[in-house]
Amino acid sequence: MVFKKLLGSLGVGAPTVDTVLAGGAAVPGGSLSGQVRLRGGSADFTVESITLELVARVEAEHEEGESEGTVSFGRFTVSGGFVLTEGAEHSIPFDVALPWETPITELYGQDLGIVLGVRTELAVAGARDKGDLDRLSVAPLPAQEALLEALGQLGFGFKSADLELGHIRGTGQQLPFYQEIELSPAPQYAHEVNEIELTFLAGPGGLEVVLEADKRSGFFTEGSDALGRFTVGHQDYQGRDWSAELDSWIRSLVAVRSAHGTPPAYGYGDEHGHGHRESHGHGSGPGMGTAVAAGAAGLAVGVAGGLVAAEVVDEVGDFFEDEEDEGDGGED
């Protein structure tokens, strides 16, 4: 989504800004490039700085209930001061590095319902205007894709994905939120597990993979969550049987009888679940209603009844409309 917007806080005749991102999806830790295009207004303006801000729509849980909000997770100054003369056109190229923990928004070209944006902030003559907001698309790293594909080959299905405010204890998490991908269990685990929750925490040296098994309750046992943390190098996805390794990891999780027992090198949640996460969020996703087709293609996201695409578009549209309304508020 690319659009021009009059810088309302600067008054009538102000410059316009149009940020154009390079085509194709970015990847976590990779390059984000594009151009900020400015057109001068009805007078000369002194541009003090141009800043790009990465923003995400994140879920939060608090005493009053649940809510969603916008969280910033990166800022980059892409230009210093210059004079934008009346009616002049000026283009500023940029190439910045995304944080390694940037969430993925798509898988095999299908939208996961995660909403990220790049907001352009222009500082002119002592005033600041968030004049342009563009959607950011992020595809998985090769190692992330290999693990997701292996889960699909094991028979797991994609349920939903969301961003949750908070930290996962015992990890090297850097951002103030984390992504959780919820998977329906493969048939061979369905009698023991309600769902598997997967979080990737990428860094320069590889991935921290957090797997949480939401275990079913029985006649004599309460349901509980079991947590496993594993490290995968960025090149380790090559030449390894990830289906077999993930099967071993997951069976180790579901073999744990109770979150209150003695853990064999794994962490656990409490009886309310998510006890390992210092989270202001919860485990539910955006209710996309998607299904996953498992097979040779791996974890390919399917569309149930043709409804997913529309719901994702509505959610993304709401995000950008809300942000635009907030920016317009500066005109009053």
Side-chain angles (χ1 to χ4, degrees), residues 231-301:
T231 302
V232 178
H234 285 302
Q235 303 303 319
D236 285 353
Y237 70 94
Q238 302 180 82
R240 292 174 65 174
D241 186 350
W242 280 114
S243 294
E245 292 198 34
L246 281 166
D247 178 69
S248 176
W249 293 357
I250 294 166
R251 291 189 184 280
S252 295
L253 290 181
V254 300
V256 180
R257 292 184 176 273
S258 170
H260 306 284
T262 303
Y266 298 105
Y268 296 90
D270 59 20
E271 65 271 22
H272 303 294
H274 296 83
H276 64 286
R277 302 176 190 266
E278 295 173 339
S279 172
H280 304 284
H282 57 91
S284 63
M288 292 167 55
T290 56
V292 170
L299 200 69
V301 181

Side-chain angles (χ1 to χ4, degrees), residues 1 105 110-115 135 286 288 290 303 306-322:
M1 184 183 296
T105 66
Q110 295 287 338
D111 204 311
L112 300 181
I114 299 297
V115 185
R135 191 181 184 197
M288 292 167 55
T290 56
V303 179
L307 299 178
V308 177
E311 291 183 8
V312 170
V313 169
D314 287 345
E315 183 173 345
V316 172
D318 290 345
F319 173 73
F320 284 100
E321 287 172 8
D322 290 347

Side-chain angles (χ1 to χ4, degrees), residues 7 9 68 74 77 89 129-130 136 138 142 166 177 187 199 211 236 240 244 246 261 280 285 317:
L7 302 181
S9 66
E68 288 188 340
T77 298
E89 295 184 357
D129 196 296
K130 297 174 180 179
L136 174 61
V138 181
F177 58 85
T199 296
L211 283 174
D236 285 353
R240 292 174 65 174
L246 281 166
H280 304 284

Side-chain angles (χ1 to χ4, degrees), residues 119-179:
R119 185 158 54 195
T120 306
E121 181 181 280
L122 199 65
V124 178
R128 295 182 182 274
D129 196 296
K130 297 174 180 179
D132 196 10
L133 180 67
D134 300 273
R135 191 181 184 197
L136 174 61
S137 297
V138 181
L141 292 162
Q144 292 172 326
E145 185 173 315
L147 292 174
L148 290 168
E149 185 166 318
L151 286 165
Q153 291 170 350
L154 285 172
F156 284 89
F158 176 83
K159 292 179 65 177
S160 63
D162 61 7
L163 304 181
E164 301 191 11
L165 189 65
H167 286 79
I168 304 176
R169 291 197 298 270
T171 68
Q173 182 184 340
Q174 300 295 311
L175 295 185
F177 58 85
Y178 57 91
Q179 182 174 23

